[in-house]
Amino acid sequence: MIELEQGGGGFKNNELIKELRQIINLKKDWSNIEDDSAVYDLGNQKLVFTTDAFIIDPIFFPGGDIGKIAVCGTINDLAVMGAQPIGLSLSIVIEEGFPKKDLLKIANSINQISQETQIPIVTGDTKVIDKGKLDKIEVTTSGVGLADNIINNSGCQPGDNIITSGDLGEHGLALLAYRFDYQTKIKSDCQPLINEINSVKNYLTSAKDPTRGGLAANINEIAKKSKVKIILDEKKLPYKKEVVALTNLLGLDIFNLPSEGRFIASVGQENTESVLNKLKEYNKEAKIIGQVEMGEGVFLKTKFNSLRKIEMPRGKLIPRIC
Amino acid sequence: MIELEQGGGGFKNNELIKELRQIINLKKDWSNIEDDSAVYDLGNQKLVFTTDAFIIDPIFFPGGDIGKIAVCGTINDLAVMGAQPIGLSLSIVIEEGFPKKDLLKIANSINQISQETQIPIVTGDTKVIDKGKLDKIEVTTSGVGLADNIINNSGCQPGDNIITSGDLGEHGLALLAYRFDYQTKIKSDCQPLINEINSVKNYLTSAKDPTRGGLAANINEIAKKSKVKIILDEKKLPYKKEVVALTNLLGLDIFNLPSEGRFIASVGQENTESVLNKLKEYNKEAKIIGQVEMGEGVFLKTKFNSLRKIEMPRGKLIPRIC
């Protein structure tokens, strides 16, 4: 029996994907099969390809909706690989009886991101399923992009700094607050990252957008693939006070909170200042949050200078919100 | 409110897609947005991109399962454009409690097509949703391919012959029979078409795989896009007797029955014989089913030499089976 935990972006999700990959194992000519996007060498440039499925509750939330999150998610998965997205596909499965006005609202929100980023939606599929066989609507987006140089998750080096493009977890917080009917001004951080990443991509040694599984899952993935130890600094944690407060109130692990419009990256020391200066033009909260050393694992250096291990999330994370 | 008919592959589905395309309207650098796959010019070759979503009942059926149909559907959508598929994405949304053995069976079936065609699954997403919020499993596949020359649905010319690569409708018949617990030896025709199409693609002036909406929807699309009149010959209809019998029994329109491993195409008269000889190496039922004339619309020339109009399917087609 498949359990909810196996789709949450944490340890059990990775185990299930690994099991499926042992069966579906042809890779022929492609690399980065286990990264955010796969890469195919066209000779003069690289083709980058990714996909994401979204069934979320609520489908409209402060700061976005299921259409915006799908399109941004796919654009961002290409962007963190160093690729310029050239086109997206949009597949929608709709429950019979779904309000037409909500569908048009979602389409408008998709178009807004498409126009803003000048990334077109070029192919699609629209299916309708009998009432009761789907919870409202499911959206799957895939994307193709072109890149001269790929940013690999295995490229992080001892000596690098770990940076974030802004405060994390606001997408997760906004959806949790909405579900628990908790008053907050914090909105989802859902947004396309292509311009931000393009402005600095030549200097990033690795990059990821910390969606499912949050900072914990994504920084662990970089550490594991790059075979390095990463030390995060508790004094420089990239979370707003209100995000910390609500997460504590609900007894959740803040490191697992997803963002949908932020990235984490590693940068050589010599480039860190100029990269942060660029990123601050987009978000003034861009900052260094940790350092890379030889070794393995991810640790939090606490205010008392002790080290606490940050694990890949296990078990049921927070409610499914991305 | 969205109605089932709006997802069925017929007239109302096209209307809904047209309405969404009026909102999501950026096309930038891409052509064939309304064909089976979209096309991007890479300079020395063309990139072809498509997507398909599948929620089917039953998920295992005589001749295939939801994994096989998804992968074949995407390969075939690239193949009918004249492209060689180079990689697919696989996004799976699973209902909590779905049997693990069924998931592995689906994965094995996907791998079998991947190995057989040497087309790898290179990127994916796996989500699990709370019990009751999805009917078992949903699979969305996207695909990218490369082509030197595109087969356009608008390329059919007066004087061409209309051919099929084999008998049609067996996918639809097999699923209907299974649902109605009707004994038949007919299995789904679900299969990848890449080798068949590659063997003749330089001679096809248009091509489509008649999935949702069957022959009626797909031949009408070719006629409309190519601005030609197509006359099908009732004496040469590409349906097995048992398919005709059950369709009549159920009071359904045979021309709407989907196939998942056949294509229809137009071919110049001078090339028809050699194309059919090639195709018969794969399926001895490959044959001419009609002719192309100047004019518009699709007609059936009956045994009594009268003409009956074949309309784009309207209303609720047959039960959703692809």
Side-chain angles (χ1 to χ4, degrees), chain A residues 2 25 53 97 115 125 127 212, chain B residues 2 25 53 97 125 127 212:
Chain A
I2 299 297
N25 56 20
Q115 298 290 344
D125 194 8
K127 297 252 161 96
R212 274 192 300 174
Chain B
I2 298 298
N25 56 19
D125 195 9
K127 297 253 160 94
R212 274 192 301 172

Side-chain angles (χ1 to χ4, degrees), chain B residues 91-163:
Chain B
S91 149
I92 308 181
V93 184
I94 310 164
E95 186 188 20
E96 183 187 9
F98 186 75
K100 177 84 175 279
K101 71 167 176 31
D102 285 350
L103 180 64
L104 299 183
K105 202 169 150 191
I106 290 166
N108 271 299
S109 145
I110 290 169
N111 184 55
Q112 196 180 322
I113 302 297
S114 170
Q115 298 289 343
E116 180 187 321
T117 57
Q118 286 292 297
I119 300 167
I121 314 296
V122 298
T123 186
D125 195 9
T126 310
K127 297 253 160 94
V128 182
I129 185 165
D130 313 64
K131 198 160 180 60
K133 297 206 162 184
L134 173 69
D135 186 27
K136 300 185 191 81
I137 189 167
E138 191 265 350
V139 176
T140 302
T141 40
S142 299
V144 286
L146 295 172
D148 292 326
N149 297 301
I150 296 297
I151 304 171
N152 287 296
N153 287 339
S154 58
C156 175
Q157 300 285 335
D160 284 356
N161 288 308
I162 299 293
I163 61 163

Side-chain angles (χ1 to χ4, degrees), chain A residues 1-2 19 21 23 25 30 53 55 86 91 97-98 100 111 115 121 125 127 129 133 135 142 212, chain B residues 1-2 19 21 23 25 30 53 55 86 91 97-98 100 111 115 121 125 127 133 135 142 212:
Chain A
M1 301 261 282
I2 299 297
E19 198 172 340
R21 271 270 41 127
I23 298 173
N25 56 20
W30 289 77
I55 305 195
I86 56 170
S91 148
F98 187 74
K100 177 85 174 280
N111 184 54
Q115 298 290 344
I121 314 297
D125 194 8
K127 297 252 161 96
I129 184 164
K133 296 205 163 184
D135 187 25
S142 299
R212 274 192 300 174
Chain B
M1 302 260 282
I2 298 298
E19 197 172 341
R21 271 269 43 124
I23 298 173
N25 56 19
W30 289 76
I55 305 194
I86 57 170
S91 149
F98 186 75
K100 177 84 175 279
N111 184 55
Q115 298 289 343
I121 314 296
D125 195 9
K127 297 253 160 94
K133 297 206 162 184
D135 186 27
S142 299
R212 274 192 301 172

Side-chain angles (χ1 to χ4, degrees), chain B residues 8 30 43 57 77 84 89-90 172 182 196 208 218 245 277 284 299 302 312 318:
Chain B
W30 289 76
D57 178 21
D77 278 349
Q84 174 61 46
S89 72
L90 173 67
Y182 175 90
E196 277 174 77
K208 273 192 84 70
N218 288 278
N277 284 340
K284 63 180 174 43
F299 299 87
T302 68
M312 172 66 85
I318 47 189

Side-chain angles (χ1 to χ4, degrees), chain B residues 266-285:
Chain B
S266 54
V267 195
Q269 288 185 23
E270 69 285 10
N271 297 317
T272 305
E273 195 182 333
S274 66
V275 163
L276 285 178
N277 284 340
K278 278 277 179 201
L279 291 180
K280 282 177 180 165
E281 292 175 21
Y282 298 92
N283 186 328
K284 63 180 174 43
E285 306 300 339

